[in-house]
Amino acid sequence: MAIEKTLAIIKPDAVGRGLAGDILKHIHEAKFKIVAVKSLRLTKSEAEGFYAVHRERPFFKDLTEFMSSGKVVVMALEAENAIARWRETMGATDPAKAAPGTIRKTYGTSIQNNCTHGSDAPDTARFEISYFFSGMELI
Ligand code: GDP
């Protein structure tokens, strides 16, 4: 199994509710290495650029407003099979359908306000990591 990097975001709903520490504990317990981390507030246009693949989806406006509504914590996580493993650790997009013990099941409150983001494939992971971090920040 290859060592991979994936992009994780603790979304504004979770940061705003003071859940960043609890979510970091899940990341630690699932044995991801945090290669890089930063906290920032996205502008609306930065959120639109990040979610550009979703621009035709009906929830694009709501999603980009939500993602620019408060601070996020952005991380590059590294592990064997990190992309799939982080998505398993988060759980299904809709917290109501997520498996017990996952982050979204435990803390998510709606299909939109689901506390975390994770890249879904190697090419999106590369794009998303480089959206937030320079090469030097990933050493
Ligand atoms: P993910 O890969 O599990 O994050 O899911 P998607 O790529 O399908 O969607 C991206 C993000 O858009 C999700 O994490 C949610 O925050 C949000 N989202 C997904 N589906 C809906 C929806 O039906 N309504 C709204 N308002 N937001 C959604």
Side-chain angles (χ1 to χ4, degrees):
M1 207 56 91
I3 297 281
E4 289 177 334
K5 286 189 184 66
T6 192
L7 187 86
I9 304 179
I10 305 177
K11 294 183 179 182
D13 57 329
V15 175
R17 288 158 62 212
L19 295 171
D22 296 271
I23 292 172
L24 284 164
K25 190 157 178 279
H26 281 257
I27 291 171
H28 177 68
E29 285 170 354
K31 306 241 181 294
F32 290 98
K33 178 177 170 189
I34 300 174
V35 177
V37 57
K38 61 177 76 167
S39 171
L40 69 149
R41 181 168 179 166
L42 290 166
T43 64
K44 180 82 165 22
S45 69
E46 287 165 350
E48 287 167 356
F50 181 74
Y51 279 116
V53 290
H54 289 318
R55 64 186 166 272
E56 304 304 334
R57 309 271 287 269
F59 56 81
F60 182 69
K61 184 169 177 285
D62 287 346
L63 173 62
T64 53
E65 277 172 6
F66 162 57
M67 288 301 288
S68 55
S69 68
K71 277 201 154 187
V72 293
V73 177
V74 187
M75 288 162 281
L77 302 183
E78 189 175 83
E80 269 191 16
N81 202 19
I83 296 169
R85 276 226 298 119
W86 173 236
R87 290 184 69 85
E88 270 168 42
T89 307
M90 292 194 301
T93 307
D94 183 352
K97 296 182 183 148
T102 59
I103 292 170
R104 285 168 164 175
K105 182 69 172 186
T106 307
Y107 307 110
T109 55
S110 71
I111 193 164
Q112 176 182 274
N113 293 21
N114 58 6
C115 295
T116 49
H117 168 85
S119 311
D120 64 0
D123 55 338
T124 41
R126 266 190 298 278
F127 165 75
E128 292 180 354
I129 290 169
S130 69
Y131 200 78
F132 291 103
F133 298 106
S134 70
M136 254 172 64
E137 290 173 300
L138 297 163
I139 292 168

mmCIF file of all heavy atoms in Angstrom, residues 41-81:
data_model
loop_
_atom_site.group_PDB
_atom_site.id
_atom_site.type_symbol
_atom_site.label_atom_id
_atom_site.label_comp_id
_atom_site.label_asym_id
_atom_site.label_seq_id
_atom_site.Cartn_x
_atom_site.Cartn_y
_atom_site.Cartn_z
ATOM 1 N N ARG A 41 -9.528 31.915 7.412
ATOM 2 C CA ARG A 41 -10.916 32.096 6.975
ATOM 3 C C ARG A 41 -10.909 32.328 5.468
ATOM 4 O O ARG A 41 -10.289 33.283 4.984
ATOM 5 C CB ARG A 41 -11.545 33.286 7.694
ATOM 6 C CG ARG A 41 -12.991 33.464 7.267
ATOM 7 C CD ARG A 41 -13.738 34.432 8.153
ATOM 8 N NE ARG A 41 -15.096 34.573 7.666
ATOM 9 C CZ ARG A 41 -16.067 35.133 8.361
ATOM 10 N NH1 ARG A 41 -15.844 35.584 9.575
ATOM 11 N NH2 ARG A 41 -17.287 35.237 7.848
ATOM 12 N N LEU A 42 -11.589 31.465 4.729
ATOM 13 C CA LEU A 42 -11.657 31.595 3.275
ATOM 14 C C LEU A 42 -12.558 32.755 2.895
ATOM 15 O O LEU A 42 -13.602 32.972 3.535
ATOM 16 C CB LEU A 42 -12.252 30.318 2.666
ATOM 17 C CG LEU A 42 -11.394 29.058 2.721
ATOM 18 C CD1 LEU A 42 -12.257 27.835 2.408
ATOM 19 C CD2 LEU A 42 -10.248 29.153 1.749
ATOM 20 N N THR A 43 -12.208 33.473 1.828
ATOM 21 C CA THR A 43 -13.162 34.400 1.240
ATOM 22 C C THR A 43 -14.154 33.569 0.422
ATOM 23 O O THR A 43 -13.909 32.391 0.126
ATOM 24 C CB THR A 43 -12.465 35.397 0.296
ATOM 25 O OG1 THR A 43 -11.909 34.652 -0.804
ATOM 26 C CG2 THR A 43 -11.353 36.168 1.001
ATOM 27 N N LYS A 44 -15.257 34.206 0.015
ATOM 28 C CA LYS A 44 -16.246 33.495 -0.814
ATOM 29 C C LYS A 44 -15.581 33.017 -2.103
ATOM 30 O O LYS A 44 -15.788 31.883 -2.527
ATOM 31 C CB LYS A 44 -17.415 34.449 -1.091
ATOM 32 C CG LYS A 44 -18.522 33.886 -1.942
ATOM 33 C CD LYS A 44 -19.464 33.065 -1.091
ATOM 34 C CE LYS A 44 -20.804 32.729 -1.715
ATOM 35 N NZ LYS A 44 -20.949 32.752 -3.122
ATOM 36 N N SER A 45 -14.765 33.877 -2.731
ATOM 37 C CA SER A 45 -14.175 33.462 -4.008
ATOM 38 C C SER A 45 -13.113 32.382 -3.810
ATOM 39 O O SER A 45 -12.949 31.513 -4.671
ATOM 40 C CB SER A 45 -13.661 34.647 -4.824
ATOM 41 O OG SER A 45 -12.555 35.201 -4.207
ATOM 42 N N GLU A 46 -12.419 32.379 -2.692
ATOM 43 C CA GLU A 46 -11.481 31.279 -2.410
ATOM 44 C C GLU A 46 -12.236 29.956 -2.220
ATOM 45 O O GLU A 46 -11.793 28.906 -2.680
ATOM 46 C CB GLU A 46 -10.633 31.595 -1.177
ATOM 47 C CG GLU A 46 -9.568 32.656 -1.444
ATOM 48 C CD GLU A 46 -8.967 33.244 -0.173
ATOM 49 O OE1 GLU A 46 -9.485 32.995 0.941
ATOM 50 O OE2 GLU A 46 -7.970 33.980 -0.294
ATOM 51 N N ALA A 47 -13.389 30.019 -1.542
ATOM 52 C CA ALA A 47 -14.208 28.805 -1.374
ATOM 53 C C ALA A 47 -14.744 28.338 -2.732
ATOM 54 O O ALA A 47 -14.784 27.138 -3.020
ATOM 55 C CB ALA A 47 -15.352 29.078 -0.398
ATOM 56 N N GLU A 48 -15.135 29.286 -3.588
ATOM 57 C CA GLU A 48 -15.635 28.924 -4.933
ATOM 58 C C GLU A 48 -14.531 28.255 -5.753
ATOM 59 O O GLU A 48 -14.783 27.293 -6.481
ATOM 60 C CB GLU A 48 -16.152 30.170 -5.658
ATOM 61 C CG GLU A 48 -17.468 30.655 -5.082
ATOM 62 C CD GLU A 48 -17.859 32.052 -5.558
ATOM 63 O OE1 GLU A 48 -17.084 32.693 -6.290
ATOM 64 O OE2 GLU A 48 -18.937 32.509 -5.158
ATOM 65 N N GLY A 49 -13.312 28.741 -5.625
ATOM 66 C CA GLY A 49 -12.185 28.140 -6.351
ATOM 67 C C GLY A 49 -11.902 26.734 -5.853
ATOM 68 O O GLY A 49 -11.650 25.817 -6.647
ATOM 69 N N PHE A 50 -11.974 26.558 -4.552
ATOM 70 C CA PHE A 50 -11.710 25.236 -3.972
ATOM 71 C C PHE A 50 -12.748 24.220 -4.437
ATOM 72 O O PHE A 50 -12.426 23.072 -4.757
ATOM 73 C CB PHE A 50 -11.704 25.335 -2.441
ATOM 74 C CG PHE A 50 -11.419 24.029 -1.772
ATOM 75 C CD1 PHE A 50 -10.138 23.508 -1.775
ATOM 76 C CD2 PHE A 50 -12.433 23.301 -1.173
ATOM 77 C CE1 PHE A 50 -9.865 22.270 -1.176
ATOM 78 C CE2 PHE A 50 -12.171 22.078 -0.570
ATOM 79 C CZ PHE A 50 -10.885 21.568 -0.573
ATOM 80 N N TYR A 51 -14.025 24.632 -4.463
ATOM 81 C CA TYR A 51 -15.119 23.719 -4.822
ATOM 82 C C TYR A 51 -15.553 23.885 -6.282
ATOM 83 O O TYR A 51 -16.698 23.556 -6.613
ATOM 84 C CB TYR A 51 -16.317 23.956 -3.892
ATOM 85 C CG TYR A 51 -16.190 23.270 -2.540
ATOM 86 C CD1 TYR A 51 -16.109 24.014 -1.370
ATOM 87 C CD2 TYR A 51 -16.177 21.878 -2.424
ATOM 88 C CE1 TYR A 51 -16.004 23.390 -0.121
ATOM 89 C CE2 TYR A 51 -16.075 21.248 -1.197
ATOM 90 C CZ TYR A 51 -15.991 22.007 -0.051
ATOM 91 O OH TYR A 51 -15.899 21.377 1.167
ATOM 92 N N ALA A 52 -14.645 24.354 -7.140
ATOM 93 C CA ALA A 52 -15.003 24.620 -8.549
ATOM 94 C C ALA A 52 -15.653 23.405 -9.232
ATOM 95 O O ALA A 52 -16.552 23.573 -10.058
ATOM 96 C CB ALA A 52 -13.776 25.070 -9.323
ATOM 97 N N VAL A 53 -15.235 22.175 -8.863
ATOM 98 C CA VAL A 53 -15.847 20.983 -9.501
ATOM 99 C C VAL A 53 -17.338 20.879 -9.197
ATOM 100 O O VAL A 53 -18.060 20.188 -9.907
ATOM 101 C CB VAL A 53 -15.167 19.653 -9.083
ATOM 102 C CG1 VAL A 53 -13.778 19.521 -9.665
ATOM 103 C CG2 VAL A 53 -15.167 19.462 -7.579
ATOM 104 N N HIS A 54 -17.776 21.545 -8.137
ATOM 105 C CA HIS A 54 -19.194 21.470 -7.750
ATOM 106 C C HIS A 54 -20.009 22.666 -8.257
ATOM 107 O O HIS A 54 -21.144 22.840 -7.848
ATOM 108 C CB HIS A 54 -19.329 21.446 -6.219
ATOM 109 C CG HIS A 54 -18.867 20.162 -5.588
ATOM 110 N ND1 HIS A 54 -19.147 18.933 -6.111
ATOM 111 C CD2 HIS A 54 -18.150 19.935 -4.455
ATOM 112 C CE1 HIS A 54 -18.625 17.989 -5.334
ATOM 113 N NE2 HIS A 54 -18.002 18.572 -4.340
ATOM 114 N N ARG A 55 -19.422 23.508 -9.165
ATOM 115 C CA ARG A 55 -20.111 24.773 -9.457
ATOM 116 C C ARG A 55 -21.486 24.603 -10.082
ATOM 117 O O ARG A 55 -22.331 25.488 -9.959
ATOM 118 C CB ARG A 55 -19.228 25.729 -10.256
ATOM 119 C CG ARG A 55 -18.844 25.266 -11.622
ATOM 120 C CD ARG A 55 -17.841 26.212 -12.289
ATOM 121 N NE ARG A 55 -17.274 25.546 -13.425
ATOM 122 C CZ ARG A 55 -16.196 24.758 -13.383
ATOM 123 N NH1 ARG A 55 -15.519 24.616 -12.264
ATOM 124 N NH2 ARG A 55 -15.786 24.133 -14.461
ATOM 125 N N GLU A 56 -21.741 23.459 -10.736
ATOM 126 C CA GLU A 56 -23.074 23.240 -11.334
ATOM 127 C C GLU A 56 -24.063 22.615 -10.354
ATOM 128 O O GLU A 56 -25.234 22.446 -10.690
ATOM 129 C CB GLU A 56 -22.968 22.320 -12.570
ATOM 130 C CG GLU A 56 -22.003 22.788 -13.672
ATOM 131 C CD GLU A 56 -22.319 24.183 -14.192
ATOM 132 O OE1 GLU A 56 -23.491 24.601 -14.115
ATOM 133 O OE2 GLU A 56 -21.377 24.858 -14.650
ATOM 134 N N ARG A 57 -23.597 22.229 -9.166
ATOM 135 C CA ARG A 57 -24.497 21.544 -8.220
ATOM 136 C C ARG A 57 -25.437 22.578 -7.576
ATOM 137 O O ARG A 57 -25.053 23.738 -7.347
ATOM 138 C CB ARG A 57 -23.699 20.832 -7.114
ATOM 139 C CG ARG A 57 -22.585 19.914 -7.606
ATOM 140 C CD ARG A 57 -23.017 18.485 -7.883
ATOM 141 N NE ARG A 57 -23.275 17.673 -6.710
ATOM 142 C CZ ARG A 57 -22.371 16.906 -6.093
ATOM 143 N NH1 ARG A 57 -21.098 16.912 -6.483
ATOM 144 N NH2 ARG A 57 -22.720 16.142 -5.089
ATOM 145 N N PRO A 58 -26.672 22.162 -7.257
ATOM 146 C CA PRO A 58 -27.655 23.127 -6.712
ATOM 147 C C PRO A 58 -27.228 23.726 -5.373
ATOM 148 O O PRO A 58 -27.670 24.827 -5.023
ATOM 149 C CB PRO A 58 -28.932 22.294 -6.552
ATOM 150 C CG PRO A 58 -28.521 20.875 -6.662
ATOM 151 C CD PRO A 58 -27.246 20.827 -7.442
ATOM 152 N N PHE A 59 -26.346 23.026 -4.626
ATOM 153 C CA PHE A 59 -25.965 23.522 -3.306
ATOM 154 C C PHE A 59 -24.669 24.341 -3.318
ATOM 155 O O PHE A 59 -24.159 24.692 -2.261
ATOM 156 C CB PHE A 59 -25.845 22.350 -2.315
ATOM 157 C CG PHE A 59 -24.893 21.250 -2.737
ATOM 158 C CD1 PHE A 59 -23.531 21.371 -2.548
ATOM 159 C CD2 PHE A 59 -25.381 20.084 -3.320
ATOM 160 C CE1 PHE A 59 -22.658 20.356 -2.928
ATOM 161 C CE2 PHE A 59 -24.517 19.054 -3.704
ATOM 162 C CZ PHE A 59 -23.148 19.205 -3.509
ATOM 163 N N PHE A 60 -24.155 24.678 -4.520
ATOM 164 C CA PHE A 60 -22.856 25.362 -4.612
ATOM 165 C C PHE A 60 -22.847 26.699 -3.849
ATOM 166 O O PHE A 60 -21.907 26.994 -3.100
ATOM 167 C CB PHE A 60 -22.509 25.600 -6.093
ATOM 168 C CG PHE A 60 -21.174 26.251 -6.318
ATOM 169 C CD1 PHE A 60 -19.990 25.572 -6.058
ATOM 170 C CD2 PHE A 60 -21.091 27.556 -6.809
ATOM 171 C CE1 PHE A 60 -18.752 26.170 -6.273
ATOM 172 C CE2 PHE A 60 -19.865 28.151 -7.026
ATOM 173 C CZ PHE A 60 -18.689 27.463 -6.757
ATOM 174 N N LYS A 61 -23.918 27.495 -4.008
ATOM 175 C CA LYS A 61 -23.955 28.808 -3.344
ATOM 176 C C LYS A 61 -23.980 28.641 -1.824
ATOM 177 O O LYS A 61 -23.202 29.277 -1.104
ATOM 178 C CB LYS A 61 -25.196 29.583 -3.818
ATOM 179 C CG LYS A 61 -25.309 30.986 -3.273
ATOM 180 C CD LYS A 61 -26.414 31.766 -3.996
ATOM 181 C CE LYS A 61 -26.590 33.148 -3.415
ATOM 182 N NZ LYS A 61 -27.289 33.122 -2.112
ATOM 183 N N ASP A 62 -24.858 27.749 -1.351
ATOM 184 C CA ASP A 62 -24.948 27.510 0.099
ATOM 185 C C ASP A 62 -23.620 26.974 0.638
ATOM 186 O O ASP A 62 -23.144 27.400 1.694
ATOM 187 C CB ASP A 62 -26.039 26.472 0.406
ATOM 188 C CG ASP A 62 -27.434 27.032 0.217
ATOM 189 O OD1 ASP A 62 -27.567 28.264 0.114
ATOM 190 O OD2 ASP A 62 -28.388 26.236 0.159
ATOM 191 N N LEU A 63 -23.018 26.045 -0.099
ATOM 192 C CA LEU A 63 -21.770 25.415 0.362
ATOM 193 C C LEU A 63 -20.642 26.445 0.458
ATOM 194 O O LEU A 63 -19.908 26.479 1.459
ATOM 195 C CB LEU A 63 -21.385 24.288 -0.610
ATOM 196 C CG LEU A 63 -20.025 23.633 -0.381
ATOM 197 C CD1 LEU A 63 -19.949 22.964 0.995
ATOM 198 C CD2 LEU A 63 -19.733 22.604 -1.484
ATOM 199 N N THR A 64 -20.522 27.305 -0.561
ATOM 200 C CA THR A 64 -19.409 28.270 -0.550
ATOM 201 C C THR A 64 -19.665 29.381 0.477
ATOM 202 O O THR A 64 -18.719 29.891 1.067
ATOM 203 C CB THR A 64 -19.143 28.827 -1.956
ATOM 204 O OG1 THR A 64 -20.362 29.332 -2.497
ATOM 205 C CG2 THR A 64 -18.595 27.739 -2.875
ATOM 206 N N GLU A 65 -20.933 29.707 0.717
ATOM 207 C CA GLU A 65 -21.239 30.673 1.800
ATOM 208 C C GLU A 65 -20.879 30.052 3.157
ATOM 209 O O GLU A 65 -20.271 30.704 4.007
ATOM 210 C CB GLU A 65 -22.720 31.075 1.772
ATOM 211 C CG GLU A 65 -22.962 32.170 0.758
ATOM 212 C CD GLU A 65 -24.435 32.489 0.520
ATOM 213 O OE1 GLU A 65 -25.313 31.947 1.226
ATOM 214 O OE2 GLU A 65 -24.688 33.283 -0.407
ATOM 215 N N PHE A 66 -21.260 28.809 3.324
ATOM 216 C CA PHE A 66 -20.947 28.094 4.576
ATOM 217 C C PHE A 66 -19.429 28.014 4.787
ATOM 218 O O PHE A 66 -18.917 28.323 5.867
ATOM 219 C CB PHE A 66 -21.570 26.698 4.504
ATOM 220 C CG PHE A 66 -21.023 25.699 5.481
ATOM 221 C CD1 PHE A 66 -21.040 25.938 6.850
ATOM 222 C CD2 PHE A 66 -20.479 24.494 5.022
ATOM 223 C CE1 PHE A 66 -20.528 24.989 7.748
ATOM 224 C CE2 PHE A 66 -19.976 23.552 5.906
ATOM 225 C CZ PHE A 66 -19.989 23.812 7.280
ATOM 226 N N MET A 67 -18.699 27.625 3.749
ATOM 227 C CA MET A 67 -17.253 27.413 3.906
ATOM 228 C C MET A 67 -16.490 28.721 4.124
ATOM 229 O O MET A 67 -15.348 28.688 4.587
ATOM 230 C CB MET A 67 -16.698 26.660 2.696
ATOM 231 C CG MET A 67 -17.101 25.199 2.652
ATOM 232 S SD MET A 67 -16.568 24.238 4.104
ATOM 233 C CE MET A 67 -14.803 24.143 3.805
ATOM 234 N N SER A 68 -17.131 29.855 3.786
ATOM 235 C CA SER A 68 -16.473 31.144 4.034
ATOM 236 C C SER A 68 -17.091 31.864 5.236
ATOM 237 O O SER A 68 -16.831 33.040 5.467
ATOM 238 C CB SER A 68 -16.537 32.016 2.775
ATOM 239 O OG SER A 68 -17.872 32.170 2.341
ATOM 240 N N SER A 69 -17.892 31.146 6.027
ATOM 241 C CA SER A 69 -18.628 31.794 7.130
ATOM 242 C C SER A 69 -17.814 31.900 8.421
ATOM 243 O O SER A 69 -18.245 32.537 9.374
ATOM 244 C CB SER A 69 -19.922 31.017 7.412
ATOM 245 O OG SER A 69 -19.617 29.735 7.948
ATOM 246 N N GLY A 70 -16.661 31.256 8.487
ATOM 247 C CA GLY A 70 -15.856 31.301 9.710
ATOM 248 C C GLY A 70 -14.547 30.578 9.480
ATOM 249 O O GLY A 70 -14.278 30.102 8.372
ATOM 250 N N LYS A 71 -13.753 30.510 10.532
ATOM 251 C CA LYS A 71 -12.426 29.901 10.384
ATOM 252 C C LYS A 71 -12.492 28.403 10.116
ATOM 253 O O LYS A 71 -13.391 27.717 10.611
ATOM 254 C CB LYS A 71 -11.602 30.155 11.640
ATOM 255 C CG LYS A 71 -10.941 31.519 11.620
ATOM 256 C CD LYS A 71 -9.766 31.549 12.573
ATOM 257 C CE LYS A 71 -8.769 32.590 12.131
ATOM 258 N NZ LYS A 71 -7.550 32.543 12.932
ATOM 259 N N VAL A 72 -11.521 27.946 9.340
ATOM 260 C CA VAL A 72 -11.334 26.514 9.111
ATOM 261 C C VAL A 72 -9.924 26.136 9.557
ATOM 262 O O VAL A 72 -9.057 27.003 9.684
ATOM 263 C CB VAL A 72 -11.517 26.141 7.609
ATOM 264 C CG1 VAL A 72 -12.948 26.348 7.152
ATOM 265 C CG2 VAL A 72 -10.552 26.927 6.723
ATOM 266 N N VAL A 73 -9.715 24.842 9.796
ATOM 267 C CA VAL A 73 -8.368 24.316 10.038
ATOM 268 C C VAL A 73 -8.076 23.371 8.873
ATOM 269 O O VAL A 73 -8.849 22.435 8.628
ATOM 270 C CB VAL A 73 -8.269 23.562 11.385
ATOM 271 C CG1 VAL A 73 -6.871 22.972 11.566
ATOM 272 C CG2 VAL A 73 -8.609 24.495 12.548
ATOM 273 N N VAL A 74 -7.008 23.669 8.145
ATOM 274 C CA VAL A 74 -6.665 22.912 6.943
ATOM 275 C C VAL A 74 -5.391 22.119 7.209
ATOM 276 O O VAL A 74 -4.440 22.662 7.771
ATOM 277 C CB VAL A 74 -6.423 23.876 5.761
ATOM 278 C CG1 VAL A 74 -6.226 23.094 4.472
ATOM 279 C CG2 VAL A 74 -7.555 24.846 5.612
ATOM 280 N N MET A 75 -5.393 20.840 6.820
ATOM 281 C CA MET A 75 -4.232 19.977 7.088
ATOM 282 C C MET A 75 -3.906 19.105 5.893
ATOM 283 O O MET A 75 -4.818 18.624 5.207
ATOM 284 C CB MET A 75 -4.553 19.006 8.243
ATOM 285 C CG MET A 75 -4.606 19.644 9.580
ATOM 286 S SD MET A 75 -5.483 18.559 10.740
ATOM 287 C CE MET A 75 -7.160 18.931 10.266
ATOM 288 N N ALA A 76 -2.608 18.868 5.694
ATOM 289 C CA ALA A 76 -2.169 17.793 4.801
ATOM 290 C C ALA A 76 -1.865 16.601 5.703
ATOM 291 O O ALA A 76 -1.008 16.696 6.592
ATOM 292 C CB ALA A 76 -0.937 18.223 4.024
ATOM 293 N N LEU A 77 -2.610 15.516 5.495
ATOM 294 C CA LEU A 77 -2.422 14.299 6.296
ATOM 295 C C LEU A 77 -1.686 13.261 5.470
ATOM 296 O O LEU A 77 -1.954 13.112 4.273
ATOM 297 C CB LEU A 77 -3.785 13.710 6.708
ATOM 298 C CG LEU A 77 -4.729 14.595 7.494
ATOM 299 C CD1 LEU A 77 -5.989 13.801 7.856
ATOM 300 C CD2 LEU A 77 -4.057 15.143 8.749
ATOM 301 N N GLU A 78 -0.799 12.527 6.127
ATOM 302 C CA GLU A 78 -0.039 11.486 5.426
ATOM 303 C C GLU A 78 -0.216 10.152 6.146
ATOM 304 O O GLU A 78 -0.205 10.107 7.384
ATOM 305 C CB GLU A 78 1.433 11.874 5.399
ATOM 306 C CG GLU A 78 2.283 10.985 4.522
ATOM 307 C CD GLU A 78 3.708 11.504 4.444
ATOM 308 O OE1 GLU A 78 4.486 11.210 5.362
ATOM 309 O OE2 GLU A 78 4.020 12.228 3.488
ATOM 310 N N ALA A 79 -0.368 9.090 5.371
ATOM 311 C CA ALA A 79 -0.491 7.727 5.901
ATOM 312 C C ALA A 79 -0.512 6.776 4.712
ATOM 313 O O ALA A 79 -0.680 7.213 3.570
ATOM 314 C CB ALA A 79 -1.785 7.550 6.698
ATOM 315 N N GLU A 80 -0.406 5.487 5.002
ATOM 316 C CA GLU A 80 -0.682 4.500 3.963
ATOM 317 C C GLU A 80 -2.153 4.624 3.598
ATOM 318 O O GLU A 80 -3.009 4.691 4.484
ATOM 319 C CB GLU A 80 -0.426 3.085 4.506
ATOM 320 C CG GLU A 80 0.981 2.632 4.274
ATOM 321 C CD GLU A 80 1.179 1.153 4.564
ATOM 322 O OE1 GLU A 80 0.193 0.401 4.662
ATOM 323 O OE2 GLU A 80 2.347 0.778 4.709
ATOM 324 N N ASN A 81 -2.429 4.692 2.313
ATOM 325 C CA ASN A 81 -3.822 4.703 1.860
ATOM 326 C C ASN A 81 -4.618 5.863 2.480
ATOM 327 O O ASN A 81 -5.795 5.722 2.817
ATOM 328 C CB ASN A 81 -4.449 3.350 2.246
ATOM 329 C CG ASN A 81 -5.649 2.994 1.414
ATOM 330 O OD1 ASN A 81 -5.846 3.549 0.333
ATOM 331 N ND2 ASN A 81 -6.458 2.082 1.908
#
